Amino acid sequence: MNGVAPLGASRKGGEGEGCVLHLLSPGKMKAESIEALIDENGLFAQQESPPAAMSRNGYFFEESGYLKCDMDDGCETKEETGGEELFDAVNNTVVSGDSIRFFVNVNLEVPLNAADENESAGCVLLHTSRKYLKLKNFEEEVRAHRDLDGFLARASIILDETATSLDDVLREMLKHFAEDPENMEPSCNFEKIMSTLFTDSGTPREGNGTHDVSDSTGANIQTCTSHLKFHLLSDTIQGVTATVTGVQYQQSWLCIICTIKSLQRRHVCISRLERPQNWGENSCEVRFVILVLAPPKMKSTKTATEVGRTFATMFSDITFRQKLLETKTEEEFKEALVHQRHLLTVVNQRPSISDGHKSHGSKPLKLHEFLNVGKGISDDIARRFPVYALDFTDGIIGNNKAIGKYITTMIFLYFACLLPSIAFGSLNDENTGGVIDVQKTIVGQCIGGLLYALFSGQPLVVLLTTAPLALYINVIRGICDDYNLDFSAFYAWIGLWNSFFLVMYSLFNFSLLMKLFKRSTEEIIALFISITFVLDAFKGIIKVFKKYYYSGRTGESYLEKAPTDAIPSLGINTTFLMNSSVSRSMSLENQTGTHDVHYGRETAVLSLMLMLGTLWLGHTLYQFKKSPYLHARVREILSDCALPISVLTFSAVGSYIFKEIEMSKFNYNPSESLFVLAPVQSLSIGSVMSAMGLGFLLSMLFFIEQNIVASLTNAPENRLVKGTAYHWDLLLVALINTGLSVFGLPWIHAAFPHSPMHVRALAYVEERVESGHIYETIVSVKETRLTSLVANFLVGLSLLLLPFPLQWIPKPVLYGLFLYIALTSIDGNQLFERVALLLKEQTAYPPTHYIRRVPQRKIHYFTGLQVLQLLILCGFGMSPLPYMKMIFPLIMIGMIPIRYNLLPRIIEAKYLDAMDAEH
């Protein structure tokens, strides 16, 4: 009788196009009772297989679990002399439309009556897993060539093997390893490897009355009264071709893969049999056996499966196999392998060239595209206006409501807009002597944010005043002090010139130039912005330490004169305690007036703890959605509200729990009037023209920041569907900043990382696991204007909360906010990920597209060049010289010729394109 029915439909041949290669991984489990597997209808429990998307290049497939077997037409009942019934599952392959179902066949020995039920206690369950893997792309995946080169350097080839059984063939291949001095493994037990190749390692072998049958890979299955011994290959790769009538297996070759802990390096052996061997269903005429052995701790692109995929791709070609049969020597065999690699590389190059123009869609920019005045703006309006109403109704009306997600996003966005406005408003207040303060910053944020949310083409972009703009304002104040210029008038003229240039950029379609910014360049600028947030936070905490921690030493002169013999037993601790008590009683002038306050080193230490605590709690809650605790919806809410929860928590800690300790708070001086027109007519013509130069440099910053942030927001991985509006949004930003300039309010433009974080907050995300690495993929995003509208409206209402309770938010909490924003912004930044690769062992490398397509050394070269560009950008953008900060937008633009002209001289263009690819 048959022990285990074959897997899949058996057909000889199967050599046509559309070949699919599958990885078969059987395992074994002990059965508690047969009823656990058979339902009340006598059917095996079904687990749906994933749809098989067949293509010309083919795929491997995997399928796990016990699949349904129809008892009427798919199973047979046979009576044995022992009076036992056995359900023998027969192949059943159904191909329907877009999906293919492969039915795993499980054989279980079932007693005839209930009295003999306990006799099946020795039964084992066979778990079969099948996995689709794409055929190796020899043109893109660099490991395909490396695998073959490594094999050719230490070739293990057996020609015309005379052994007839699978066990004997594998023993000869392992013996070939052992006898080859180049492949010696000092601590390797080849007998143990032999047993590891099969599933019966450790299976009970006791019992009487065994008899042998053949399984689908040619090994034997022994059945007995009380125990079963499964002798199946653990991991194999075979080629299959899907047709409308079933599945055709390529039966002339078999790839066996295995992971062995005792191995030190990978080994490949190819054996060509003298005659075709019939090793059971799906392996009726085997002529080639490929054995791949690898240690477990390997880079994701060097595993046994990946190496097996390389050779399986080559052997899936029937013409290639025919050539191998005609070879007489090992050298001819190697030459055939090299020739096949060349053919696969050339075949894969053809579609990549033809698809290249389609995928990039970026033809060389021509002059007439910029002379077509207003075309970009009209195209943007035509693209976005038809879906304008949907921006207000999506998620509110209809089946797919997302009101809960909208509420959490509004809360997050409110704090993400308000707190930076307070921080940079306080900084501007210090730099401008109160001309631009916290109140004006909040008003400008509210007005500009509302206008942009109502009329922009991409409402998911968030407008804010940023650190570079605060630097510009500080430089402008210094120029006004040096040349005795009216700050309000000079500031207004610079803003007007900036808006003028932005209008010109939008009318003449200058946003088309953003096609020249590759992903790598955008990530350099994004990481630069994240670094500025970190530096702002550390600069702030250093100021706190200088003011409180080191100023506490002023009490030392008093302590030196104070008698210390009153408590001599305390020794050194006496000085510390008295220093602390004296410092707490000293007088300090704070922002709101002069009165007795308590300060000292504890203020500095508490400030540091508040900053780090805000960062820790915010990031912990942000990552909480990945934890197994609480309900999924609760985890999502906590993750979306991580920022406000952390800020409110540690504001309460600093202002209430430790209220006796003086904390640094932001300045607040009530403005007499928020809307006062700047005296633009008071400046001379020379001053106005000098403002034009500064306005031009400022417009370069606006142009780059606005378009790059919009590009990151509209990135393909975010799956936004309503279209882009780069030209119209740039024009709108110009108009908004015109009004802000004449009223002396701070400028605003698209902010990173707030805009991508806004998208993330509105996104539905799913996780996938690949080679042990977890990846998050955005499924869809709710594209709405409501979240920005409500958040900016609430920012305007926050004027009613000044000075209290908003002034209860300590400055260290704002510094912690900066660190939180910087840390969360590096998620998905490939530059940061590739820098982290330098600190990881190769086994921890993720199987990303650039790891597969680019040699490791080239990856590190490219990363080093990016880091060098980042350091140059930081050198200009963070220079203590104020005028160097003004020209760093030109450094950003200078990265374009570096990427297109310099880098291709160091790294091949195909590798650069692979690392700049989206995914």
Side-chain angles (χ1 to χ4, degrees):
M1 76 163 257
N2 291 332
V4 175
L7 304 178
S10 173
R11 288 179 176 82
K12 292 188 178 182
E15 317 292 357
E17 291 188 358
C19 167
V20 179
L21 295 164
H22 79 265
L23 174 65
L24 180 61
S25 304
K28 57 181 183 297
M29 301 175 289
K30 188 173 181 180
E32 295 297 335
S33 69
I34 192 64
E35 287 79 10
L37 289 178
I38 302 180
D39 65 10
E40 61 184 3
N41 296 322
L43 302 179
F44 289 104
Q46 182 181 16
Q47 177 177 334
E48 291 290 344
S49 64
M54 300 302 174
S55 72
R56 184 180 182 88
N57 292 331
Y59 294 84
F60 301 87
F61 73 79
E62 173 176 3
E63 183 170 339
S64 303
Y66 295 93
L67 301 183
K68 184 174 179 179
C69 176
D70 194 334
M71 297 293 292
D72 294 333
D73 55 357
C75 297
E76 297 176 0
T77 304
K78 297 185 178 180
E79 293 186 1
E80 294 289 83
T81 55
E84 297 176 335
E85 270 187 304
L86 291 171
F87 295 99
D88 185 13
V90 181
N91 307 315
N92 188 3
T93 305
V94 179
V95 180
S96 141
D98 296 329
S99 64
I100 298 179
R101 297 179 183 176
F102 293 92
F103 293 87
V104 178
N105 305 292
V106 181
N107 175 63
L108 298 171
E109 189 173 353
V110 183
L112 184 60
N113 50 59
D116 297 329
E117 185 175 3
N118 292 331
E119 295 182 7
S120 64
C123 173
V124 294
L125 305 179
L126 177 67
H127 172 250
T128 302
S129 175
R130 295 183 179 182
K131 180 180 181 181
Y132 278 114
L133 298 172
K134 287 190 70 173
L135 291 171
K136 206 94 166 191
N137 189 321
F138 276 70
E139 196 274 330
E140 293 184 352
E141 299 191 53
V142 67
R143 285 309 319 176
H145 298 271
R146 299 286 181 88
D147 291 340
L148 184 57
D149 290 339
F151 171 74
L152 295 175
R154 301 186 305 271
S156 295
I157 301 173
I158 302 176
L159 300 180
D160 300 328
E161 173 62 50
T162 58
T164 58
S165 70
L166 177 60
D167 293 59
D168 292 339
V169 170
L170 292 176
R171 285 192 178 92
E172 289 297 324
M173 299 174 79
L174 294 176
K175 182 180 178 182
H176 195 269
F177 279 139
E179 294 176 351
D180 189 348
E182 296 184 0
N183 288 335
M184 286 295 291
E185 293 281 354
S187 61
C188 189
N189 185 339
F190 286 96
E191 284 298 324
K192 186 176 181 180
I193 293 178
M194 185 66 188
S195 64
T196 307
L197 293 174
F198 296 92
T199 60
D200 61 345
S201 177
T203 304
R205 304 190 179 204
E206 299 83 354
N208 299 319
T210 64
H211 53 279
D212 297 343
V213 296
S214 177
D215 78 333
S216 60
T217 56
N220 291 330
I221 303 170
Q222 297 180 344
T223 62
C224 61
T225 304
S226 58
H227 292 87
L228 291 175
K229 176 188 174 185
F230 287 90
H231 196 62
L232 303 173
L233 288 171
S234 296
D235 290 305
T236 63
I237 298 177
Q238 278 186 281
V240 294
T241 303
T243 66
V244 293
T245 58
V247 172
Q248 295 177 342
Y249 277 74
Q250 291 186 352
Q251 309 204 25
S252 62
W253 64 277
L254 183 65
C255 181
I256 303 169
I257 60 177
C258 188
T259 300
I260 307 295
K261 292 182 179 180
S262 58
L263 291 181
Q264 297 181 358
R265 62 185 182 185
R266 298 171 298 162
H267 300 279
V268 180
C269 182
I270 300 177
S271 178
R272 186 183 71 185
L273 306 184
E274 186 178 27
R275 297 183 183 85
Q277 299 298 327
N278 184 354
W279 288 338
E281 293 285 357
N282 307 325
S283 302
C284 294
E285 48 183 20
V286 178
R287 288 299 302 271
F288 298 95
V289 179
I290 305 112
L291 178 61
V292 179
L293 305 177
K297 289 189 176 182
M298 294 296 293
K299 189 178 175 182
S300 59
T301 55
K302 297 181 180 180
T303 60
T305 302
E306 288 296 316
V307 178
R309 191 163 70 97
T310 298
F311 289 93
T313 301
M314 302 179 73
F315 275 81
S316 63
D317 186 355
I318 186 175
T319 306
F320 169 65
R321 298 199 301 272
Q322 190 63 35
K323 289 181 181 179
L324 291 181
L325 291 175
E326 297 172 358
T327 58
K328 304 299 183 183
T329 64
E330 287 191 12
E331 290 302 321
E332 293 179 2
F333 199 96
K334 292 180 182 179
E335 290 176 1
L337 288 171
V338 174
H339 180 67
Q340 178 66 5
R341 171 175 62 178
H342 173 71
L343 292 179
L344 289 173
T345 304
V346 172
V347 167
N348 286 325
Q349 279 179 345
R350 290 171 185 165
S352 66
I353 294 175
S354 62
D355 293 340
H357 298 291
K358 296 179 183 179
S359 60
H360 295 292
S362 56
K363 298 178 181 179
L365 295 175
K366 298 181 179 179
L367 181 61
H368 71 84
E369 296 182 70
F370 299 100
L371 298 179
N372 198 347
V373 180
K375 185 178 186 303
I377 296 175
S378 61
D379 289 345
D380 290 342
I381 295 175
R383 185 184 306 116
R384 289 292 305 190
F385 186 74
V387 295
Y388 183 78
L390 296 178
D391 292 337
F392 295 93
T393 59
D394 282 352
I396 302 296
I397 301 174
N399 296 327
N400 299 322
K401 291 184 173 63
I403 298 177
K405 181 171 283 292
Y406 283 5
I407 293 175
T408 56
T409 303
M410 290 171 187
I411 297 173
F412 153 76
L413 198 58
Y414 165 67
F415 280 88
C417 293
L418 175 64
L419 298 180
S421 298
I422 293 175
F424 292 121
S426 176
L427 181 61
N428 289 331
D429 191 6
E430 297 174 5
N431 293 335
T432 63
V435 178
I436 300 178
D437 57 7
V438 175
Q439 269 186 304
K440 287 190 174 182
T441 306
I442 292 178
V443 170
Q445 174 63 42
C446 174
I447 295 174
L450 287 174
L451 291 175
Y452 192 83
L454 280 172
F455 302 111
S456 66
Q458 181 49 272
L460 298 184
V461 172
V462 178
L463 297 192
L464 283 174
T465 186
T466 60
L469 293 180
L471 293 176
Y472 263 75
I473 293 174
N474 188 27
V475 172
I476 293 170
R477 180 66 185 188
I479 294 174
C480 292
D481 292 340
D482 293 339
Y483 296 95
N484 294 322
L485 300 175
D486 183 270
F487 173 78
S488 298
F490 196 61
Y491 175 84
W493 272 112
I494 293 175
L496 291 175
W497 281 117
N498 167 58
S499 298
F500 169 77
F501 286 116
L502 292 179
V503 171
M504 292 297 103
Y505 300 156
S506 60
L507 289 177
F508 288 95
N509 311 316
F510 272 35
S511 290
L512 294 174
L513 292 173
M514 295 309 298
K515 293 181 180 180
L516 301 178
F517 278 83
K518 295 288 189 177
R519 175 175 183 146
S520 56
T521 308
E522 293 177 352
E523 290 184 339
I524 292 174
I525 298 174
L527 199 56
F528 165 75
I529 296 173
S530 299
I531 292 175
T532 60
F533 277 107
V534 174
L535 288 182
D536 287 341
F538 280 106
K539 285 180 182 178
I541 202 67
I542 288 172
K543 286 183 180 179
V544 172
F545 266 74
K546 285 182 178 180
K547 182 177 181 180
Y548 292 101
Y549 190 87
Y550 296 105
S551 65
R553 297 179 181 177
T554 57
E556 291 177 359
S557 59
Y558 174 84
L559 292 174
E560 291 175 357
K561 301 177 182 179
T564 57
D565 54 352
I567 42 177
S569 60
L570 294 180
I572 297 177
N573 291 335
T574 306
T575 303
F576 172 77
L577 292 173
M578 294 186 68
N579 181 23
S580 176
S581 61
V582 170
S583 62
R584 290 184 184 184
S585 63
M586 297 183 69
S587 176
L588 177 69
E589 181 178 352
N590 66 353
Q591 293 81 359
T592 57
T594 303
H595 59 282
D596 290 336
V597 295
H598 302 289
Y599 80 101
R601 293 185 172 181
E602 61 269 28
T603 299
V605 174
L606 180 59
S607 298
L608 179 63
M609 299 307 296
L610 290 178
M611 182 185 74
L612 297 179
T614 304
L615 170 65
W616 167 79
L617 182 59
H619 190 261
T620 300
L621 293 178
Y622 179 75
Q623 298 290 337
F624 194 71
K625 58 187 174 184
K626 300 179 182 179
S627 71
Y629 303 106
L630 304 180
H631 190 270
R633 180 55 185 162
V634 177
R635 295 197 301 265
E636 184 179 0
I637 292 175
L638 289 176
S639 179
D640 292 341
C641 298
L643 176 61
I645 291 176
S646 60
V647 168
L648 293 177
T649 299
F650 282 92
S651 295
V653 170
S655 298
Y656 181 75
I657 297 180
F658 294 97
K659 56 185 176 182
E660 71 277 4
I661 300 177
E662 175 67 21
M663 296 303 301
S664 177
K665 294 181 174 60
F666 65 86
N667 296 331
Y668 173 70
N669 297 310
S671 301
E672 296 180 358
S673 178
L674 294 175
F675 299 98
V676 177
L677 284 173
V680 293
Q681 71 281 357
S682 64
L683 293 183
S684 63
I685 299 298
S687 299
V688 172
M689 298 308 294
S690 63
M692 181 179 68
L694 294 175
F696 173 74
L697 292 176
L698 183 61
S699 70
M700 300 299 294
L701 174 65
F702 267 74
F703 176 77
I704 294 175
E705 292 271 0
Q706 178 69 32
N707 283 284
I708 284 184
V709 172
S711 177
L712 294 173
T713 303
N714 293 304
E717 56 264 30
N718 290 339
R719 301 181 187 274
L720 303 182
V721 298
K722 293 184 179 179
T724 61
Y726 293 99
H727 311 280
W728 166 250
D729 285 350
L730 189 63
L731 176 63
L732 183 60
V733 168
L735 298 177
I736 290 174
N737 282 280
T738 300
L740 297 179
S741 299
V742 297
F743 286 105
L745 302 177
W747 302 307
I748 58 176
H749 60 61
F752 179 87
H754 303 77
S755 301
M757 291 172 68
H758 186 202
V759 175
R760 190 77 173 188
L762 291 170
Y764 291 95
V765 181
E766 68 178 10
E767 292 183 349
R768 60 182 177 87
V769 180
E770 182 178 350
S771 300
H773 296 267
I774 300 177
Y775 298 92
E776 289 188 345
T777 303
I778 292 179
V779 179
S780 64
V781 177
K782 290 294 182 182
E783 301 179 53
T784 181
R785 299 178 186 271
L786 297 178
T787 51
S788 293
L789 277 172
V790 175
N792 284 285
F793 178 73
L794 293 177
V795 168
L797 291 181
S798 299
L799 288 172
L800 303 176
L801 303 179
L802 287 174
F804 299 103
L806 284 184
Q807 212 174 20
W808 288 347
I809 302 177
K811 274 189 176 181
V813 173
L814 299 179
Y815 303 149
L817 164 71
F818 288 168
L819 294 179
Y820 167 83
I821 290 175
L823 184 60
T824 54
S825 68
I826 63 177
D827 279 349
N829 189 299
Q830 285 187 11
L831 172 56
F832 183 81
E833 292 174 355
R834 281 187 271 106
V835 170
L837 291 182
L838 298 172
L839 306 177
K840 294 181 180 179
E841 59 178 351
Q842 290 190 3
T843 56
Y845 281 18
T848 56
H849 66 279
Y850 54 85
I851 293 291
R852 293 184 181 276
R853 299 180 182 179
V854 184
Q856 182 175 324
R857 184 174 300 176
K858 302 291 184 182
I859 293 176
H860 295 327
Y861 283 167
F862 184 68
T863 304
L865 293 171
Q866 279 189 289
V867 172
L868 181 60
Q869 295 177 72
L870 178 62
L871 292 177
I872 294 174
L873 188 61
C874 291
F876 281 89
M878 303 172 186
S879 171
L881 302 177
Y883 293 100
M884 288 190 67
K885 297 176 182 178
M886 302 289 289
I887 65 172
F888 84 93
L890 300 178
I891 306 300
M892 294 182 184
I893 297 178
M895 292 180 181
I896 296 177
I898 291 176
R899 170 61 181 83
Y900 281 90
N901 299 321
L902 179 60
L903 293 186
R905 299 176 183 269
I906 303 174
I907 303 173
E908 292 89 332
K910 64 177 182 179
Y911 296 145
L912 292 175
D913 292 339
M915 286 183 284
D916 272 332
E918 297 297 337
H919 51 96

